[in-house]
Amino acid sequence: MRRLRNAVLIVLPLAFVLLAVVRLAVGGWSNVEAVIAAAALVVAYVGTLRGTRPPDSASDLADRLADEVMHAARREAGNRDVPHSRGIPIRCESGGALPVTVEELADHLLTRRGGVVVTGERGSGKTTLGLLLALRMPSVRHRPIPVTLPLSSWEPRLSLREWVALRLAAEYPFLRSAPLALERLIRSGSLLAVFDGFDEVPAARRAEVVRAIDEDWSSSPYVLTSRVEAFTGPAIRRLAGTPVLRLLPVDAAGVAGYLESRWGDVPAAAALVARLRAEPGGPLAEALDTPLMIFLAARICESGHTPRIDGTAARIRKELVAGFVPAVYRPEPEADQPWTPEEAARYLRALAEFLRRRGTHDLAWWELHHALPRAVIPVVQTVLGMAIFGPLCTVMFALFGLTAIGWWFGLVIGLAGGLAVSLARQHHPREARPRLRKTLTRRYLLRRLGQGLVCVAPGMVIVLVLYDGVTYALTEGAVFLIGFLAASLALAPANADRAGTPDGFLRNDRAAVLLAFAAGGLVGLAVGACLGWWMESGLRVRDQVWLLTLDRWQQTLVGSASGAVLGAAGFGLTMMAPSAWGRFIDVRMWFALRRVLPLRLMAFLRDAYERGVLRRSGPYYQFRHELLQDRAAAAPAPPGSAAPGPPATTP
């Protein structure tokens, strides 16, 4: 039935367009026929689109979610040094109630039904614990599914369970297709929620967070991670009886053994090992007592630099954080280096400033338009519209000897249309390639109808100017409007079958816009062929029109080509302007011109991820650690550039 419904959705719009072309070609159609055909199309859409996909069962959803969590964890493990057989030896202090190694702790948490609080210093491995839980999940039967949830993104207006559902749906979009099954999955205790970054929640809201966890999640397994100094006072009293453990500093012998086993052939790492063994209680051993600092030191050594190992422990830590980005972006003699260390530092500073102003650690490429000044998007859209439709309309009207009128008409269309689409709210990026929309709402139809009218109105005016009688203009407008609505339904945002990635979201959104260009070209081809066929008898302007000297098939060919170009431009630009990809292009151009961010921004983010500067959480990028984000934001601004301004309200 689903395939039959999808086939109907594709065939009906094409059949309607074909009917319009045939009826106009043989002598036009009556108003009654037009109304009946349009009503039949609407009824068919409403009837075929109201059906929804049966929701998945909670067990099926759990299996899919477990697979996606494992897949994402393995992908991230390659970019982070997650503890394993040759990993950093992290130990825990639990008063004998819990295991003492982080690997044993992970296995224990996957079988435990209650809550656990994990504390530690900055960079001690608290966030990495959530990744390790996912990696070790297959070794435990009947395990809960570990999902990491950054508490800094929790909104107090939502209950904890509502926020968990929204966060999971953002990282794993396929969950949106079965909201009831997801709710049952959450309530059944099948999730091991890793509430990460309690210390990143503002102090005034921490008591509220603890209350929500205690009231909404106490019957399900969870792990709450926090820095030691943040988990005090009311938080301890509210969670009295919950086991609390602390991740211990890594001793000098453990650091030396790890560095020697992984980077023993690197001279800079060998120097660190020698100093650690010579001074196991010295400043270097004190500085390299957390997985983060060990990771930074190892990456700096791997890049060919020698970390600063003199001075106090605090100074060594500061130098490691400051030297990480220059080290990993060090130019290689025979390698292609797209960005210098100075450029990378400038771009990372802009991104860190944007995240700080937004009050989040999640970097979403589709939200960067909030950093643009309010006037940028309207100006860019109107200039782009005038630059495209000015020449197009000039050429179109020149075929009929009205070059000057075409130029001014194109500028007016570009100005008015560009301004209109720039005021539309940006669409959410598509999590998957476009699919046929299965449900309709009044709000959705009204919004698409408004967009469609903006798209078809210029074409109707062109036909009114060139052809005698309003029938041609009304028919052209009706066909284009229905074609636009059909394309909007066929290219509607769809939920992904797998967890989304930043690049995947961008590819899918771009594909939808390009398909809109193609759909507009096809509809314009049909309408242009019809108008070209009736050019001899229907044309209003007849003086100095060389097209009238051509044969009828040649006039039809010219009309088809003109209609295809104008249709593709109208459909495509109308769909592109409010799309996430379209606004992202504005962001890239604006900040690249100001030397704030690179034009190839996604390539830069990918590269920073591969170098270990950034990490990924579903469709979001994040800095590898808040220390790196703080360092990037504090870096001095280079001459000739400026950081993104304060967030602007989306129109």
Side-chain angles (χ1 to χ4, degrees), residues 137-149:
M137 178 175 53
S139 64
V140 182
R141 293 187 61 189
H142 306 296
R143 75 286 182 191
I145 305 170
V147 289
T148 300
L149 304 160

Side-chain angles (χ1 to χ4, degrees), residues 8-87:
V8 171
L9 287 173
I10 295 174
V11 170
L12 275 180
L14 296 180
F16 182 80
V17 173
L18 181 61
L19 175 64
V21 173
V22 172
R23 292 293 288 143
L24 287 174
V26 299
W29 57 359
S30 67
N31 293 334
V32 174
E33 288 177 319
V35 172
I36 292 175
L41 182 63
V42 172
V43 171
Y45 267 122
V46 173
T48 56
L49 296 179
R50 290 184 66 84
T52 58
R53 180 182 176 182
D56 294 336
S57 67
S59 59
D60 292 340
L61 208 64
D63 291 339
R64 294 180 64 187
L65 180 59
D67 291 340
E68 291 299 332
V69 168
M70 267 299 304
H71 178 75
R74 287 172 177 167
R75 184 180 62 222
E76 283 298 307
N79 249 37
R80 304 192 215 174
D81 196 6
V82 180
H84 49 76
S85 59
R86 298 176 58 204

Side-chain angles (χ1 to χ4, degrees), residues 242-304:
T242 303
V244 179
L245 62 89
R246 179 174 180 175
L247 299 180
L248 298 174
V250 185
D251 58 28
V255 179
Y258 165 75
L259 291 176
E260 192 171 40
S261 65
R262 296 292 298 274
W263 286 282
D265 56 343
V266 178
L272 290 182
V273 171
R275 174 65 68 89
L276 288 169
R277 288 182 171 159
E279 302 177 8
L284 180 62
E286 184 182 350
L288 300 182
D289 63 350
T290 63
L292 174 65
M293 291 300 158
I294 300 170
F295 167 82
L296 297 180
R299 284 298 179 94
I300 292 174
C301 292
E302 187 182 21
S303 69

Side-chain angles (χ1 to χ4, degrees), residues 615-637:
R615 64 189 181 197
R616 273 207 308 247
S617 176
Y620 307 105
Y621 281 108
Q622 299 169 340
F623 275 84
R624 173 68 175 75
H625 194 273
E626 62 176 336
L627 284 174
L628 295 177
Q629 180 175 327
D630 294 342
R631 170 64 190 181

